[in-house]
């Protein structure tokens, strides 16, 4: 089944028998909102007049998608604490485990105009497939990717880019991406605030359990 996601863009895991995450794009006042975890020690720098969220990571494999050429990204989530992050029917809490290694517990709320350039939703499940194999000893989705070098998972992830205004669900592990050409401030500070809810500062971060989900064959 994994060949579907390697050969072309636009194929969603949720359209092929997998349980899609229930998260949707938050649309308020003609704009879109997403959430990002950061270290509290960086807050003053982020909220400074000339600050913001910096896009450091290049889009891997961007040569295969012309619209992403030269792109660098900053990432976040559709919700303050996505279900797939803490209790995925496929990956358990692997997403949260990975998040805690690279980000802090301070949740930021980012509100952008709907026509803000470079907004996409991607499916991190393609990358998690190989991480799950490496850390748990077996692939979670049985997509058949060659995980020896990560190239196939990367290609499938690249093919999962959906413009935010077109996303209506279907990703198993949706991630909000802001892409800009070249590294630099992708989201100016005027669009950023500290979120009222701070889920990772609570003792219990897990939502109600999902019913078990079998892997399609």
């Amino acid at each position: 089944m994994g060949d579907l996601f390697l050969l072309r863009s636009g194929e969603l895991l949720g359209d092929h028998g997998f349980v899609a995450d229930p998260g949707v794009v938050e649309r308020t006042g003609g704009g879109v909102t997403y959430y990002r975890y950061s270290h509290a020690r960086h807050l003053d720098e982020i909220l400074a007049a000339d600050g913001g969220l910096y896009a450091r990571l290049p889009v891997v494999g961007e040569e295969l998608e012309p619209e992403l050429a030269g792109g660098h990204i900053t990432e976040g989530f559709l919700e303050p604490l996505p279900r797939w992050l803490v209790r995925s029917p496929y990956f358990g809490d692997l997403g949260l485990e990975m998040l805690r290694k690279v980000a802090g517990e301070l949740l930021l709320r980012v509100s952008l105009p709907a026509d803000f350039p470079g907004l996409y939703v991607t499916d991190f499940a393609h990358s998690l497939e190989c991480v799950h194999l490496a850390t748990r000893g077996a692939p979670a989705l049985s997509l058949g990717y060659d995980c020896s070098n990560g190239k196939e998972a990367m290609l499938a992830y690249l093919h999962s880019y959906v413009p935010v205004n077109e996303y209506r669900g279907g990703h198993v592990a949706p991630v909000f991406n802001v892409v800009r050409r070249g590294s630099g401030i992708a989201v100016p500070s005027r669009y950023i605030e500290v979120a009222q809810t701070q889920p990772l500062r609570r003792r219990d971060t897990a939502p109600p359990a999902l019913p078990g989900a079998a892997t399609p064959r």
Side-chain angles (χ1 to χ4, degrees):
M1 178 180 287
D3 287 348
L4 283 171
F5 310 104
L6 298 176
L7 293 175
R8 57 182 179 267
S9 300
E11 298 290 344
L12 305 179
L13 286 167
D15 290 339
H16 293 280
F18 294 94
V19 177
D21 186 80
V24 297
V25 177
E26 183 177 329
R27 305 177 191 276
T28 53
V32 296
T33 295
Y34 78 97
Y35 299 86
R36 176 181 172 85
Y37 285 94
S38 182
H39 292 282
R41 64 179 180 271
H42 297 318
L43 183 60
D44 288 346
E45 180 182 356
I46 291 171
L47 296 183
D50 59 349
L53 298 177
Y54 201 93
R56 291 184 172 84
L57 297 173
V59 175
V60 179
E62 43 86 17
E63 69 277 4
L64 301 175
E65 295 288 345
E67 67 181 283
L68 300 175
H72 285 64
I73 60 174
T74 179
E75 301 168 318
F77 302 112
L78 301 182
E79 303 170 281
L81 195 66
R83 193 185 299 271
W84 72 262
L85 198 66
V86 293
R87 192 163 288 173
S88 165
Y90 304 108
F91 304 107
D93 65 351
L94 179 59
L96 181 61
E97 180 182 317
M98 295 177 66
L99 176 68
R100 288 191 181 279
K101 291 179 180 179
V102 299
E105 295 184 345
L106 179 67
L107 183 63
L108 303 176
R109 185 175 188 267
V110 184
S111 300
L112 299 171
D115 60 354
F116 195 90
L119 305 183
Y120 298 88
V121 182
T122 54
D123 197 342
F124 194 57
H126 296 290
S127 298
L128 282 174
E129 177 78 334
C130 287
V131 177
H132 195 276
L133 173 62
T135 61
R136 305 293 196 264
L141 304 176
S142 297
L143 292 172
Y145 296 153
D146 176 2
C147 291
S148 61
N149 55 26
K151 289 183 178 180
E152 290 192 350
M154 175 274 294
L155 179 58
Y157 180 76
L158 184 68
H159 283 165
S160 77
Y161 273 75
V162 177
V164 70
N165 288 327
E166 298 177 13
Y167 184 71
R168 298 294 182 271
H171 285 341
V172 167
V175 171
F176 194 107
N177 292 260
V178 183
V179 183
R180 58 158 281 158
R181 193 172 297 274
S183 60
I185 297 292
V187 180
S189 60
R190 63 182 178 274
Y191 297 118
I192 306 166
E193 62 182 345
V194 175
Q196 292 185 355
T197 181
Q198 294 292 328
L200 293 189
R201 294 186 172 187
R202 300 174 184 170
R203 176 176 298 179
D204 182 11
T205 61
L210 279 174
T215 300
R217 298 295 180 185

